[in-house]
Amino acid sequence: MLSRVISFDEVVKTSIETFRNTFGAEPELAACAPGRVNLIGEHIDYNDGFVLPMALQLGTVIVGRRNGTDSTCDVVTCSDSIQEGTKRAQFDSSTIAKGSPKWLNYVKGVMFHFRQPVPGFDAVIHTNVPVGSGLSSSAALEVATLTFLEQLTGKPVPSMSDGAKMCQRAEHTFANVPCGIMDQLIALGGRADHALLIDCRNLDTEPIPFDAPELAILICNSNVKHELSSSEYPVRRRQCQEALELMGLNSYRDATLEHLKALENANELLVRRARHVITEIERTKAAAEALKAKDFTKMGQLMTESHKSLSEDFDVSCYELDLLVEATVATRGVLGSRMTGGGFGGCTVTLVQRAALADVVKEMDTIYSRKTGGKYRARFYLAQPGNGARPIELGAYLR
């Protein structure tokens, strides 16, 4: 059955109540930013590719207020998904340095790259984005922080792309994750009932209507956790760059399958890495056209092809993700399925006929539990395209 997720209103209300209990006052500012699911276009945002994510109606909320100090920041998280370190920490906004707890480094990184004086503040952070699931809880936290800082200082960032780059730098420098820019852009630019086609070479974006009431977007969390900073993610980036240089190109946007001949004398691994990038860029462009044409059968086929490439050429899947996709695409009513996110665990995303949704969930749950020996139980979420980052009007919650 579908997993229950605490609602956005519950997240806001819990944040406010925690703020009152912790700081003995009412919050004055609030901001939120969504998680995301990437429909297609994986591991190509750092290779000048196209990606096609959508913002979720799951997100991260920050409530807070100035505390009257010049630079003392007191931050609390009330998220149950934070398992490591303390849930409350203080630091000085004038001398920001990364450290412990790890979750606070995402906040500190955005503050550091914000490049504006930040007054002392108290804040509470809460989220209903599953952490470590590949739904971009990190970018949701970064972008929520940025949106909160804009309100706190009255200094808006000039453009969406500037904000996305700022949050990306925060993740590079304070979380040590060499991520691409897709997650930050969709967290800022998401639009309800749309996917967002992002050109990662120039950061142009195009909202793509996703109008299919007869279909459902099903997210399945494998509950296999991944930690990108200690995974193969940085290795994949280096391999892609090495292959590009051996092909004599400056960008994968100029690459075709013919260029792979230049890698014939190189490691076969580099051939596979480059082949994934080249074909995934083409699949993503085709998927955007399929959505525009409401050709959802084609969209599903492209999603499944994407997973095969990620598993066989890019080696970022795992047994559990492959198991979920194989079980899913064999089930009646499923148009396509693939892993989503960095890989090595996390989630799959599936395009399924809404009338078949209950049967698909039951079948996936049964097969996954049996074939993992009961070690893992999948969690299922129904996804709808949501809006990007925004301030929250607290008036309705404080009455």
Side-chain angles (χ1 to χ4, degrees), residues 16-324:
I16 292 171
E17 190 62 28
T18 302
F19 191 92
R20 288 171 178 155
N21 294 338
T22 305
F23 300 109
E26 298 283 6
E28 297 174 351
L29 305 169
C32 66
R36 65 94 187 97
V37 63
N38 191 24
L39 298 173
I40 195 166
E42 216 68 73
H43 282 280
I44 56 173
D45 56 340
Y46 53 84
N47 286 309
D48 286 348
F50 292 91
V51 293
L52 191 63
M54 71 179 204
L56 297 173
Q57 294 180 348
L58 304 172
T60 295
V61 168
I62 302 179
V63 303
R65 63 183 290 170
R66 293 192 182 206
N67 59 22
T69 68
D70 290 336
S71 57
T72 300
C73 303
D74 195 345
V75 184
V76 175
T77 177
C78 52
S79 173
D80 291 335
S81 57
I82 301 297
Q83 301 295 327
E84 57 80 28
T86 179
K87 291 193 174 185
R88 181 175 183 176
Q90 290 187 346
F91 62 97
D92 192 314
S93 66
S94 65
T95 56
I96 296 174
K98 61 185 176 182
S100 183
K102 289 182 180 179
W103 60 267
L104 192 61
N105 285 327
Y106 295 94
V107 176
K108 289 179 175 178
V110 175
M111 291 176 64
F112 180 84
H113 291 288
F114 190 61
R115 304 298 186 191
Q116 298 284 351
V118 176
F121 65 85
D122 300 327
V124 168
I125 299 170
H126 195 17
T127 189
N128 59 2
V129 182
V131 174
S133 63
L135 299 180
S136 199
S137 59
S138 57
L141 176 54
E142 293 155 8
V143 173
T145 299
L146 175 63
T147 308
F148 178 77
L149 293 177
E150 289 178 315
Q151 293 181 79
L152 188 74
T153 63
K155 304 281 188 181
V157 173
S159 69
M160 185 172 74
S161 61
D162 288 331
K165 290 175 184 176
M166 187 181 300
C167 292
Q168 180 193 33
R169 287 195 295 271
E171 191 152 344
H172 288 182
T173 56
F174 275 69
N176 298 323
V177 179
C179 63
I181 201 165
M182 171 184 66
D183 295 351
Q184 292 80 9
L185 270 174
I186 185 61
L188 284 161
R191 183 186 297 186
D193 301 320
H194 289 75
L196 190 69
L197 181 65
I198 301 173
D199 183 338
C200 296
R201 179 161 63 174
N202 58 24
L203 304 189
D204 285 347
T205 60
E206 180 186 356
I208 307 293
F210 201 139
D211 181 20
E214 73 282 11
L215 299 178
I217 302 164
L218 179 67
I219 296 173
C220 176
N221 187 350
S222 69
N223 277 312
V224 177
K225 301 294 183 182
H226 69 277
E227 179 68 39
L228 286 181
S229 60
S230 60
S231 76
E232 292 290 303
Y233 190 107
V235 176
R236 294 300 181 281
R237 291 198 66 151
R238 291 195 296 271
Q239 290 168 341
C240 290
Q241 184 60 36
E242 184 178 352
L244 186 66
E245 292 172 359
L246 288 173
M247 290 187 292
L249 300 173
N250 294 318
S251 172
Y252 274 100
R253 292 284 284 279
D254 302 321
T256 67
L257 291 176
E258 285 294 309
H259 288 101
L260 294 178
K261 293 178 180 178
L263 301 176
E264 287 178 352
N265 295 323
N267 191 319
E268 171 63 20
L269 199 64
L270 297 183
V271 176
R272 293 195 288 117
R273 300 297 187 255
R275 183 166 58 214
H276 166 73
V277 175
I278 294 167
T279 57
E280 187 79 346
I281 289 173
E282 293 306 311
R283 278 188 291 269
T284 304
K285 291 191 292 184
E289 293 305 312
L291 282 188
K292 291 177 184 178
K294 296 188 177 184
D295 186 349
F296 300 113
T297 299
K298 178 64 173 178
M299 178 70 191
Q301 292 171 347
L302 291 164
M303 291 170 66
T304 304
E305 290 171 11
S306 171
H307 181 81
K308 182 177 180 181
S309 181
L310 287 160
S311 179
E312 297 179 2
D313 275 350
F314 220 64
D315 294 316
V316 291
S317 187
C318 60
Y319 169 76
E320 292 82 7
L321 290 176
D322 288 344
L323 174 61
L324 280 170

